[in-house]
């Protein structure tokens, strides 16, 4: 899917081939991309251009990626960063996270994982100067939770929230990206006995290489660079609530250690032999089907049963369209105060557009659209022209007379129309097209290549196709 707004990315890698491949993948996703062969060259580009995200190599001639990120964040604290590098050491990854990196990936990286990491880094809420390792990671709230809505789907969800908020049961929040899982987790925290304690949120997909150190802490001398004892996030959340977001991304070996923490209510810091009691409420969240992950052997069944004592499914915004006017007005009031710009109401015509749109990014996307509309309205009421929504992908209609042609011609025409429409419905994503078609990967790829709908252009694309 194309980004809702233009996102500007700078790749810094002294390997021209790697930089070119990464750039092509990102540009295919609709991002605006520039590249630099060194930190020195990147410094000049950052001074002259606005970038949302840096994709950094670590070991380069001259300044390293980590040193450049430290320097860059001093002047431009808004910039997000991830590392994609062939040079991996635990202490280097730890240092990169301290500098503000949101992920540390080791080459070679599959295209899907690379794109996923970029999207997560762009969407990740981040407080300037926020520590990334072994410190309470307090994500800035996206919305203050207000029980807004009157749709049947939302009322069912709200009833489940009310049932569980006064208990101490682990809660599993399910739903698409942007449906407000962290918002609901905060509401459960505030309404329960943990309200007086801290609320600590961690996105596990963004700290996969450092999950054990970040969750459980580490002892001085546990690894090179561990110069002092550090508490983990479970200890930081003692007496309060910890939200383990994207729990499905946690590595299997860390899942086993997490299960023990849930069972024993104790943590053991990395490199230590002493267990520390913790009284932390656990809320997990994911947009994945964990039952399917269990069947594939990618998620422990015992951990799944442990974290899903009470599951709550958050409905997609397209399934609660009657709530869109209420949400839009609430977001308008909230953002008007934050952006500090005058704005009128949402017109009836604009509200009709909002209700007709499918909202693949859910409430998070609605919030972004309202923010942008406030700026574009320039003190006036919000009209359809201020919304700037992505148009839905075109659906190719079937030719009315294809079924009257000879068999071979009809078959060829049907295949052409079917597979063209399939790619359109999948918004150009081959992975999504594979899911929609229900076909074997190699069979689908052969059809698409035969019709000239895909071609092999570089090694990253080849690994995605095969």
């Amino acid at each position: 899917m194309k980004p809702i707004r233009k996102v500007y990315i700078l790749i810094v890698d002294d390997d021209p081939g790697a930089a070119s491949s990464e750039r092509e993948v990102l540009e295919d996703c609709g991002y605006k991309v520039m590249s630099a062969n060194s930190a020195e060259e990147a410094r000049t580009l950052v001074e002259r251009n606005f970038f949302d995200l840096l994709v950094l190599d670590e070991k380069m001639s001259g300044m390293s990626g980590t040193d450049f990120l430290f320097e860059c964040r001093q002047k431009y604290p808004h910039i997000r960063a991830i590392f994609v590098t062939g040079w991996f050491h635990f202490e280097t990854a730890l240092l990169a996270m301290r500098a503000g990196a949101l992920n540390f990936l080791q080459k070679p990286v599959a295209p899907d994982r690379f794109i996923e990491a970029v999207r997560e880094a762009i969407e990740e809420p981040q407080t300037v100067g926020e520590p990334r390792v072994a410190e309470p990671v307090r994500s800035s709230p996206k919305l203050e939770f207000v029980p807004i809505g009157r749709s049947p789907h939302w009322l069912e969800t709200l009833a489940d929230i009310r049932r569980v908020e006064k208990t101490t049961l682990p809660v599993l929040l399910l739903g698409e990206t942007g449906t407000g899982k962290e918002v609901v987790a905060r509401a459960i925290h505030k309404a329960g006995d943990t309200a007086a304690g801290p609320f600590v949120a961690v996105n596990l997909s963004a700290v996969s290489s450092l999950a054990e150190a970040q969750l459980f802490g580490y002892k001085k001398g546990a690894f090179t660079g561990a110069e002092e004892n550090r508490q983990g996030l479970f200890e930081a959340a003692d007496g309060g609530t910890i939200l383990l977001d994207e729990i499905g991304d946690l590595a299997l070996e860390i899942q086993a250690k997490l299960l023990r923490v849930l069972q024993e209510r104790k943590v053991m810091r990395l490199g230590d032999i002493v267990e520390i009691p913790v009284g932390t409420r656990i809320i997990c969240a994911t947009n994945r089907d964990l039952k399917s992950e269990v069947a594939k052997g990618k998620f422990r069944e015992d951990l799944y049963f442990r974290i899903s004592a009470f599951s709550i499914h958050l409905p997609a915004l397209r399934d609660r369209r009657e709530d869109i006017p209420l949400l839009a007005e609430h977001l308008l009031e909230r953002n008007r105060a934050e952006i500090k710009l005058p704005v009128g109401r949402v017109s009836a015509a604009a509200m009709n557009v909002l209700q007709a749109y499918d909202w693949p990014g859910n409430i998070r996307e609605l919030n972004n659209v309202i923010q942008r509309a406030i700026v574009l309205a320039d003190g006036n009421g919000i009209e359809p022209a201020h919304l700037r929504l992505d148009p839905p992908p075109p659906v190719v209609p079937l030719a009315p007379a294809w079924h009257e042609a000879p068999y071979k011609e009809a078959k060829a025409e049907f295949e052409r129309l079917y597979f063209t429409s399939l790619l359109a419905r999948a918004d150009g994503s081959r992975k999504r097209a594979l899911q929609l078609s229900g076909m074997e990967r190699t069979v689908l790829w052969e059809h698409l290549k035969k019709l000239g709908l895909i071609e092999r252009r570089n090694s990253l694309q080849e690994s995605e196709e095969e």
Side-chain angles (χ1 to χ4, degrees), residues 142-387:
K142 305 176 193 64
L143 302 172
E144 182 176 348
F145 181 81
V146 180
I148 292 176
R150 55 186 174 222
S151 67
H153 283 298
W154 176 245
L155 292 178
E156 290 175 11
T157 300
L158 185 59
D160 282 341
I161 294 170
R162 298 297 182 234
R163 289 186 185 104
V164 78
E165 61 188 8
K166 295 295 183 182
T167 75
T168 58
L169 287 173
V171 178
L172 178 61
L173 302 176
L174 305 169
E176 297 178 6
T177 298
T179 49
K181 294 187 284 293
E182 183 176 333
V183 175
V184 170
R186 287 179 181 275
I188 294 172
H189 164 72
K190 290 178 181 178
D193 295 336
T194 59
F199 178 87
V200 176
V202 56
N203 187 323
L204 295 176
S205 66
V207 294
S208 55
S209 58
L210 301 170
E212 185 173 1
Q214 183 146 1
L215 290 175
F216 311 130
Y218 56 83
K219 186 179 179 182
K220 179 180 178 180
F223 50 83
T224 303
E227 299 175 352
E228 58 183 356
N229 294 336
R230 284 293 187 106
Q231 70 172 195
L233 296 178
F234 271 91
E235 289 180 72
D238 190 21
T241 302
I242 187 168
L243 169 63
L244 302 177
D245 201 3
E246 303 302 343
I247 185 71
D249 290 346
L250 194 61
L252 282 169
E253 60 269 22
I254 311 300
Q255 289 180 29
K257 297 182 179 182
L258 175 59
L259 177 62
R260 179 171 176 79
V261 171
L262 297 179
Q263 291 172 337
E264 304 296 330
R265 312 293 290 180
K266 297 176 181 178
V267 297
M268 184 184 294
R269 293 179 179 178
L270 192 65
D272 205 348
I273 59 173
V274 178
E275 290 186 321
I276 303 170
V278 289
T280 306
R281 181 170 193 174
I282 312 296
I283 300 179
C284 298
T286 183
N287 57 15
R288 295 192 182 190
D289 181 351
L290 289 188
K291 288 184 179 179
S292 175
E293 297 293 289
V294 169
K296 296 174 184 175
K298 295 182 178 180
F299 199 84
R300 292 179 62 104
E301 184 176 34
D302 46 6
L303 178 59
Y304 170 71
F305 287 125
R306 194 79 186 185
I307 65 175
S308 61
F310 197 96
S311 298
I312 301 176
H313 185 272
L314 276 63
L317 191 53
R318 62 182 172 276
D319 293 329
R320 46 182 300 215
R321 293 181 189 272
E322 55 265 60
D323 294 337
I324 290 175
L326 296 174
L327 287 166
E329 292 294 343
H330 167 65
L331 293 172
L332 179 65
E333 293 298 326
R334 184 175 183 274
N335 285 303
R336 176 193 283 127
E338 290 188 1
I339 298 175
K340 298 180 180 179
L341 287 176
V343 66
R345 312 302 298 179
V346 180
S347 72
M351 196 66 78
N352 288 338
V353 172
L354 294 178
Q355 285 191 279
Y357 185 60
D358 270 349
W359 299 107
N362 293 293
I363 299 175
R364 182 181 299 160
E365 183 184 358
L366 175 61
N367 189 47
N368 292 342
V369 168
I370 294 295
Q371 287 178 333
R372 183 167 57 244
I374 290 172
V375 176
L376 295 173
D378 196 23
N380 300 310
I382 294 177
E383 299 294 338
H386 302 140
L387 300 177

Side-chain angles (χ1 to χ4, degrees), residues 50-117:
F50 176 90
F51 294 101
D52 298 280
L53 178 70
L54 304 177
V55 178
L56 300 169
D57 191 12
E58 169 54 21
K59 197 169 185 179
M60 300 181 288
S61 58
M63 183 182 290
S64 70
T66 301
D67 288 342
F68 175 69
L69 180 57
F70 267 114
E71 176 188 287
C72 194
R73 294 265 297 177
Q74 294 299 313
K75 295 182 179 180
Y76 312 101
H78 72 279
I79 292 183
R80 315 292 180 86
I82 65 172
F83 278 74
V84 181
T85 180
W87 196 76
F88 181 87
H89 285 280
F90 185 86
E91 54 268 29
T92 305
L94 189 62
L95 192 62
M97 293 298 187
R98 284 178 177 167
L102 293 165
N103 213 329
F104 197 100
L105 306 175
Q106 187 172 11
K107 296 177 181 177
V109 182
D112 285 350
R113 181 68 188 99
F114 175 52
I115 293 168
E116 181 184 16

Side-chain angles (χ1 to χ4, degrees), residues 319-462:
D319 293 329
R320 46 182 300 215
R321 293 181 189 272
E322 55 265 60
D323 294 337
I324 290 175
L326 296 174
L327 287 166
E329 292 294 343
H330 167 65
L331 293 172
L332 179 65
E333 293 298 326
R334 184 175 183 274
N335 285 303
R336 176 193 283 127
E338 290 188 1
I339 298 175
K340 298 180 180 179
L341 287 176
V343 66
R345 312 302 298 179
V346 180
S347 72
M351 196 66 78
N352 288 338
V353 172
L354 294 178
Q355 285 191 279
Y357 185 60
D358 270 349
W359 299 107
N362 293 293
I363 299 175
R364 182 181 299 160
E365 183 184 358
L366 175 61
N367 189 47
N368 292 342
V369 168
I370 294 295
Q371 287 178 333
R372 183 167 57 244
I374 290 172
V375 176
L376 295 173
D378 196 23
N380 300 310
I382 294 177
E383 299 294 338
H386 302 140
L387 300 177
R388 295 192 179 180
L389 297 169
D390 279 356
V395 177
V396 180
L398 290 175
W402 68 270
H403 58 281
E404 298 177 0
Y407 172 73
K408 287 185 178 181
E409 293 180 18
K411 180 182 177 184
E413 179 66 5
F414 169 78
E415 289 180 349
R416 184 185 69 80
L417 293 170
Y418 174 79
F419 289 110
T420 302
S421 175
L422 176 68
L423 282 181
R425 287 187 292 124
D427 197 22
S429 166
R430 300 173 200 172
K431 184 177 180 180
R432 177 63 176 153
L434 190 65
Q435 295 171 339
L436 291 173
S437 69
M439 301 173 69
E440 293 290 335
R441 180 188 297 268
T442 54
V443 175
L444 176 59
W445 270 208
E446 287 304 316
H447 278 291
L448 295 178
K449 284 187 289 185
K450 182 179 71 173
L451 294 168
L453 297 176
I454 63 171
E455 58 182 356
R456 298 178 183 267
R457 287 184 286 178
N458 56 56
S459 59
L460 281 175
Q461 287 181 324
E462 287 177 2

